[in-house]
Amino acid sequence: MVTEIAGGRAYLDGGRAAGVTPGTAVVFGGVTLVVVDTTERTCVVDLGPADLALGARGIAEVNAAGAVAATVRPAPRPAGSFVAKWPDVVVPATTQTPRAVRLGAGRAPGRAQVLVLGQAFGAVDRDGAKAQAEARVIASYALTTEQPLAADLDASARLFSAGADGQARVPLIVRTAQLRYGGSADGGDPRLALGRLRYAAASVGMLDGVRASARLGRVEVTGFGGLVPDPLSARPSTAASRFGAEVGYEDGASAWQPRASVTAYGSTWDGALDERRLTASVSAHRAAVFVDGWAEAQGFAADNPWGASAVELTAAGATAQWRRAGTHVGADLTMLRPERSLRLAAALPPSWLCTRAPQPGDVPDEGCTGGDRWTSASLSAGTRGARWSVDAIGAVGRTSGVTTALDSSGYVAGELRFGPRRLLAGVSAGQSRFARWTAGHVGVGLGLGRGRDLAVRYRPELLDYVAATGPTLQHAVAIDAHAALARTLDVTLSTVATTGADRDAVAVLTTLAWRPTP
């Protein structure tokens, strides 16, 4: 069983005492890995392109005689046999000539880390064909080592069969283009960042500006400010600015390893004060228990166009999970209110932001018709053994406002594994304000070796629209294929064909991940 994954290797239960030696083959489904090192009770395998999860179980063929031999121990030597056996101590400086080197963090200057992601989607239905493609490059270039100065880029080129519409379907989108001092491209917060920032703080998104932080023990203080890109196209814009500060706390040495942050920020729109928000988040875990919580409060001007109170709780949520050895149980509770700001009001229909009931004289589809809050709760659980796994989730949501609507859904899926082959089955059901559905799926999967896998599923669905005269039966076939063509290249292909009274369509999605540099 996989107990830990780190550095491209997986650490497993079972070592020399069980007859496992370097070179022993371990089979996980359709993937065969080779043991490269062992201890008395554990062993380690190189993952290569394989993708294993904690708790995954494999099968190894071992020599029973080796297992017995591994348990035999030589008799301990008497303490007297070690007397006068150690060599005289020699100071290293008397025999070595060390060379002075500069100390620093990060990669060697001139080295880059690059990840290329590709995605193409196409669909054909009764109304015609549609397609889109995206090529995304995520790169980090180290400029120095003595001072950790780097440049980060995250940009995508996109094509749409319907053509760019000047709003969301822009041919080029830049998510990050920054100079960074300190931190790392894959998660470490920089001490100073300048340019197009992916995020300004823990709860604040994209910003064209500057972010600076300083750490005092377990506390980190951050300030940020700049211009807000267009919310639909991410193009640079001078219409809105955003500014604020964040205080974070982290204690990795304590039993629960808590992390917490509080962010206060505001914005302007066309020269007037717009958003005034305060957010807080906290997370902690101990052993197999993980908990998270977050909340947001927003202040509104007295003459705001949505009839909002001076201060409102606009979002809150909490999650709790227990995970151990392939078994997990979790719960989630979330409350959201519509996003409301002058900046969004200029880009989105008014009904998306409003919470008041329609008033006389409102234009249809342009007045305030949105619900004032959406609340959801979900429970999930799953467990797995050496040859099987079962996962389930159930959710219920409530939208309240002018009208009250309930929606609910549930899903259960399982697998039975027989070496590289596996059987797949699942069932789901749900309902919303406009429809109810019941569906299931059955299928087979096959590991083809060397990071290649194929799965085929058949999915019948009974769909009942509230506005229809009766339910309709839909049939769908899904084919999913994955291939690790090299240690640095993964490709997946998913095809879904659906037919029935409601729709006839074929959709194809292919994705690519290429890591040209380690």
Side-chain angles (χ1 to χ4, degrees):
M1 181 180 70
V2 177
T3 60
E4 187 175 357
I5 297 175
R9 291 185 168 187
Y11 297 82
L12 318 177
D13 285 331
R16 291 191 298 269
V20 179
T21 60
T24 298
V26 185
V27 179
F28 293 86
V31 179
T32 300
L33 303 176
V34 177
V35 174
V36 297
D37 199 3
T38 62
T39 66
E40 186 66 14
R41 298 188 179 279
T42 64
C43 63
V44 60
V45 296
D46 277 324
L47 287 175
D51 184 13
L52 296 182
L54 291 176
R57 295 178 178 272
I59 300 175
E61 295 186 3
V62 299
N63 187 331
V68 174
T71 63
V72 178
R73 298 288 186 275
R77 295 172 59 185
S81 64
F82 294 98
V83 176
K85 298 296 184 181
W86 303 106
D88 295 334
V89 175
V90 178
V91 179
T94 63
T95 60
Q96 300 176 0
T97 55
R99 181 172 56 90
V101 297
R102 293 183 176 181
L103 300 179
R107 301 180 305 279
R111 292 292 304 278
Q113 284 184 322
V114 180
L115 171 63
V116 179
L117 301 175
Q119 174 181 294
F121 172 79
V124 179
D125 58 21
R126 297 169 183 173
D127 298 325
K130 302 175 182 178
Q132 66 183 59
E134 178 178 7
R136 181 177 180 183
V137 177
I138 304 173
S140 177
Y141 186 83
L143 301 173
T144 64
T145 53
E146 292 78 9
Q147 294 180 346
L149 182 64
D152 302 321
L153 175 68
D154 182 352
S156 296
R158 309 190 297 179
L159 295 174
F160 301 89
S161 62
D165 62 7
Q167 294 294 315
R169 291 182 174 181
V170 293
L172 176 66
I173 183 169
V174 178
R175 300 174 180 89
T176 306
Q178 67 179 18
L179 285 175
R180 166 175 50 83
Y181 179 83
S184 64
D186 55 0
D189 289 335
R191 281 175 276 177
L192 180 65
L194 176 66
R196 167 63 61 87
L197 313 181
R198 183 192 303 275
Y199 63 92
S203 56
V204 183
M206 198 179 294
L207 188 71
D208 290 335
V210 62
R211 165 192 166 99
S213 64
R215 178 170 289 275
L216 305 171
R218 297 186 178 95
V219 177
E220 184 175 55
V221 179
T222 302
F224 56 88
L227 300 175
V228 182
D230 183 88
L232 297 180
S233 67
R235 291 191 178 101
S237 173
T238 59
S241 65
R242 181 168 285 161
F243 48 88
E246 179 181 57
V247 177
Y249 174 83
E250 181 176 4
D251 186 0
S254 68
W256 279 94
Q257 302 184 41
R259 300 182 64 181
S261 67
V262 176
T263 308
Y265 66 98
S267 69
T268 64
W269 170 255
D270 280 343
L273 184 62
D274 188 7
E275 299 168 290
R276 287 160 283 187
R277 300 181 186 242
L278 180 68
T279 65
S281 64
V282 62
S283 64
H285 81 272
R286 181 173 184 176
V289 178
F290 298 78
V291 293
D292 299 271
W294 54 275
E296 177 187 85
Q298 186 173 356
F300 296 93
D303 58 347
N304 72 86
W306 312 287
S309 303
V311 177
E312 291 187 356
L313 179 66
T314 52
T319 63
Q321 288 187 329
W322 180 87
R323 304 195 297 263
R324 177 174 291 172
T327 299
H328 64 92
V329 178
D332 175 88
L333 183 63
T334 300
M335 184 279 289
L336 296 173
R337 303 196 72 174
E339 285 283 334
R340 288 161 291 173
S341 70
L342 299 177
R343 178 176 67 97
L344 293 179
L348 300 174
S351 60
W352 287 33
L353 311 176
C354 297
T355 60
R356 68 179 178 86
Q359 302 295 316
D362 284 346
V363 178
D365 298 326
E366 293 186 3
C368 301
T369 59
D372 69 351
R373 65 171 52 85
W374 176 74
T375 307
S376 71
S378 67
L379 293 173
S380 62
T383 186
R384 60 196 62 224
R387 296 185 178 274
W388 57 272
S389 63
V390 177
D391 290 277
I393 185 171
V396 60
R398 183 178 189 271
T399 302
S400 58
V402 177
T403 61
T404 298
L406 296 174
D407 59 81
S408 59
S409 62
Y411 178 72
V412 179
E415 284 190 10
L416 281 177
R417 295 180 287 273
F418 306 92
R421 297 173 295 277
R422 60 190 188 277
L423 297 179
L424 315 172
V427 62
S428 64
Q431 68 173 14
S432 65
R433 183 172 56 181
F434 61 90
R436 293 188 298 270
W437 69 92
T438 303
H441 76 259
V442 293
V444 295
L446 179 63
L448 304 176
R450 295 190 176 184
R452 292 170 172 82
D453 186 84
L454 178 68
V456 180
R457 297 175 176 85
Y458 165 65
R459 183 179 187 269
E461 178 184 13
L462 191 64
L463 182 60
D464 186 5
Y465 289 107
V466 173
T469 57
T472 61
L473 181 62
Q474 310 291 322
H475 304 273
V477 175
I479 302 174
D480 298 304
H482 168 257
L485 302 181
R487 291 179 62 90
T488 60
L489 179 62
D490 286 84
V491 178
T492 63
L493 176 66
S494 297
T495 302
V496 180
T498 306
T499 185
D502 181 59
R503 59 187 177 272
D504 293 309
V506 177
V508 179
L509 172 66
T510 182
T511 60
L512 174 149
W514 179 41
R515 312 165 197 83
T517 58

